[in-house]
Amino acid sequence: ADPSSDEAALVRVAARDYDKAVRVPSEFVAEQAIVTTKAFDAWAEARSKSDFSIFRPHLEKVLELVRKYITFFPPAEHPYDTLLDDYEPGMKTADVQAIFDRLRPQQVELIKAITARPQVNDKFLHKKYNEGKLWDFSAAITKEFGYDWNRGRMDKAPHPFETTFSVDDVRITNRFESDNPLATLFSAMHESGHAMYEQGINRDYERTSLSHGASLAIHESQSRLWENLVGRSLPFWEYFYPKLKKVFASQLDGIGLKNFYKAINKVEPSLIRVNADEATYNLHVMLRLELEIAMVEGKLQIKDLPEIWNTKMKEYLGVTPPNDAQGVLQDIHWSGGAIGYFSTYALGNLVSAQLWEKINRDIKDLDDQICKGRFDALLGWLHENIHQHGRKYDPQDLVQKVTGSRITPEPYVRYLKTKYSDIYGL
Ligand code: ZN
């Protein structure tokens, strides 16, 4: 078949999935299921007691299995390649390292410049906000974005996520944190970004290997685009802020649009990845990637992990976790054996900015449209260029096809510099 046809893509992707699946013996899969199930419980207990020693023997076993998993595959340039490929098909460890090596010094420099400037006031974001009203507001935003509620819904859960049952049933969850109430709005934007991707995949691919997104990074580029490039932008709030102010008149009393915009974009090096701002987020990921590679290479002993974690946090972000719960134990991923996953979060950020530059070349008055609450051209562009293709293209090829280059950090750095120069007067 024509290599660019859906039929050829289907055979290619199905063959790859099949080959990967049959290489791994079923006894191993069973053992891994048992080990990670126990490791998850141990991790949850260790985190709640902030005691790494509870998790340590389990993580050692998980790592042993991860290293065994690698041996089922043909030797790669780097053993970590095999793990990365499960989340980001075709991506090599050396590629990610090269991207991060270009990105890291620029982000560190930017954060230094920001922290030398007076901090923005965001006290009003931490007042009491009514949960139900925030919930309704976040639902209204996703509706205006174009998330199809006839084929979706939003329910409450301990952690925000998106899940797909079919192209006609793509759901999201959301939560309310009383100390960080407006996170409900941004989580809804984030998860609806994932959901609109899944809702936009070509119907012909339904129930084939081509359904679902191209990779974790491409998926995350969609959620980040709606959450950050759109949802933390000034044009977006020019439209939504008057509405928000109507609902939360007392909380936002005396706070102008520009101050609100600055507050939701406050940069502050912090301990917890999931709460990190756009300027510091990627550093959390780079730290994890380095540690994972060292673990896979056998250069890092699990018993030394908390100490190395804390040293690196100090080096990268200038903060030291007061305990392991807020340090090495904060993420769920390793307990489930998901080593190789983290870098896709940072790559997603990079892709979102790369796409954004291209979108702004193609839709010249995008900011004006967003100011007026119009998102149809934007969503249409994403459907056309990204969503409809599902898994037809490998992530790097898709990015190349759409933007003219493979994944590169420069657009993201440009985006951060422009944004924070304005906010912090750099
Ligand atoms: Zn996400």
Side-chain angles (χ1 to χ4, degrees):
D2 171 4
S4 67
S5 66
D6 287 354
E7 288 79 5
L10 177 57
V11 172
R12 225 166 25 234
V13 171
R16 192 175 65 203
D17 288 350
Y18 176 80
D19 177 64
K20 277 196 174 190
V22 297
R23 280 178 182 279
V24 186
S26 44
E27 307 78 56
F28 175 88
V29 176
E31 190 187 1
Q32 198 175 38
I34 293 165
V35 166
T36 54
T37 303
K38 287 179 180 162
F40 170 77
D41 283 342
W43 166 77
E45 191 193 339
R47 191 167 92 145
S48 71
K49 294 181 179 163
S50 192
D51 180 356
F52 183 73
S53 70
I54 298 169
F55 184 44
R56 180 186 150 187
H58 295 272
L59 185 56
E60 281 168 348
K61 188 81 187 139
V62 167
L63 180 62
E64 195 186 307
L65 289 181
V66 163
R67 294 177 70 179
K68 191 170 171 188
Y69 175 83
I70 294 170
T71 65
F72 300 133
F73 294 85
E77 227 171 275
H78 191 287
Y80 192 81
D81 287 353
T82 304
L83 306 177
L84 192 56
D85 196 75
D86 285 349
Y87 304 102
E88 213 47 43
M91 183 64 87
K92 301 279 178 268
T93 309
D95 298 335
V96 181
Q97 284 172 322
I99 291 168
F100 284 4
D101 284 347
R102 299 215 307 275
L103 182 61
R104 190 185 305 111
Q106 306 200 66
Q107 284 208 239
V108 169
E109 193 193 333
L110 180 70
I111 294 164
K112 263 196 190 140
I114 290 171
T115 44
R117 300 288 304 159
Q119 187 51 286
V120 303
N121 167 32
D122 72 338
K123 281 203 184 77
F124 54 90
L125 296 182
H126 302 285
K127 289 181 175 170
K128 264 203 162 70
Y129 284 75
N130 178 279
E131 179 179 349
K133 287 178 180 172
L134 270 177
W135 191 271
D136 292 345
F137 203 91
S138 66
I141 290 174
T142 66
K143 207 169 194 173
E144 297 216 34
F145 278 173
Y147 173 47
D148 184 352
W149 280 71
N150 290 320
R151 300 186 287 143
R153 51 182 287 149
M154 181 165 76
D155 291 275
K156 199 173 173 181
H159 196 85
F161 65 92
E162 174 274 319
T163 188
T164 304
F165 297 95
S166 83
V167 73
D168 289 320
D169 188 355
V170 183
R171 307 180 187 195
I172 59 177
T173 67
N174 203 346
R175 69 176 164 196
F176 178 76
E177 301 161 272
S178 50
D179 53 341
N180 191 15
L182 269 63
T184 298
L185 301 181
F186 294 100
S187 294
M189 296 185 219
H190 183 101
E191 300 310 332
S192 70
H194 284 302
M196 288 184 282
Y197 187 178
E198 295 281 328
Q199 287 183 335
I201 291 170
N202 186 343
R203 278 185 175 275
D204 294 346
Y205 297 171
E206 185 70 352
R207 301 181 66 181
T208 77
S209 300
L210 297 183
S211 66
H212 302 301
S215 73
L216 291 185
I218 303 297
H219 236 299
E220 201 64 10
S221 78
Q222 299 307 295
S223 54
R224 291 281 176 179
L225 188 144
W226 289 101
E227 177 194 357
N228 291 331
L229 282 297
V230 176
R232 287 182 212 273
S233 75
L234 199 51
F236 174 86
W237 287 105
E238 273 178 41
Y239 179 72
F240 277 106
Y241 191 58
K243 299 176 193 299
L244 190 72
K245 239 182 139 159
K246 239 179 228 163
V247 182
F248 299 105
S250 68
Q251 290 89 339
L252 300 170
D253 185 37
I255 307 297
L257 168 65
K258 197 69 196 268
N259 286 344
F260 178 80
Y261 167 69
K262 286 182 178 183
I264 57 167
N265 284 294
K266 180 183 175 185
V267 172
E268 191 169 48
S270 61
L271 299 169
I272 307 295
R273 174 185 59 85
V274 294
N275 298 333
D277 54 75
E278 288 182 86
T280 57
Y281 186 92
N282 287 343
L283 296 176
H284 290 267
V285 170
M286 291 177 199
L287 173 153
R288 286 158 177 75
L289 178 75
E290 268 187 45
L291 296 181
E292 286 187 349
I293 290 174
M295 281 191 265
V296 169
E297 287 175 340
K299 287 181 182 160
L300 193 165
Q301 303 260 306
I302 298 296
K303 69 174 171 53
D304 301 326
L305 200 50
E307 202 190 318
I308 295 174
W309 180 285
N310 293 349
T311 310
K312 288 228 172 273
M313 279 301 287
K314 182 80 191 150
E315 184 190 326
Y316 277 35
L317 287 149
V319 292
T320 307
N323 54 51
D324 289 341
Q326 293 180 69
V328 68
L329 290 172
Q330 65 182 268
D331 291 309
I332 190 174
H333 303 62
W334 291 343
S335 73
I339 291 178
Y341 188 125
F342 280 117
S343 58
T344 66
Y345 290 125
L347 295 172
N349 286 332
L350 304 186
V351 173
S352 73
Q354 236 176 308
L355 294 175
W356 196 247
E357 286 193 351
K358 173 70 173 136
I359 294 166
N360 277 278
R361 284 198 295 276
D362 289 353
I363 308 173
K364 295 268 186 287
D365 63 338
L366 182 61
D367 277 359
D368 286 345
Q369 295 188 16
I370 293 176
C371 283
K372 295 182 183 110
R374 281 183 46 215
F375 303 98
D376 50 324
L378 173 60
L379 183 58
W381 190 98
L382 293 169
H383 276 334
E384 170 76 23
N385 289 283
I386 305 287
H387 300 170
Q388 63 156 327
H389 300 304
R391 293 177 74 203
K392 181 171 178 178
Y393 302 105
D394 272 2
Q396 284 273 37
D397 295 339
L398 180 64
V399 175
Q400 169 88 47
K401 178 174 130 67
V402 175
T403 70
S405 103
R406 294 167 81 79
I407 299 176
T408 162
E410 280 73 25
Y412 192 67
V413 172
R414 277 197 285 276
Y415 159 69
L416 290 182
K417 280 189 178 159
T418 309
K419 181 170 190 172
Y420 291 111
S421 294
D422 171 42
I423 292 172
Y424 281 94
L426 303 180

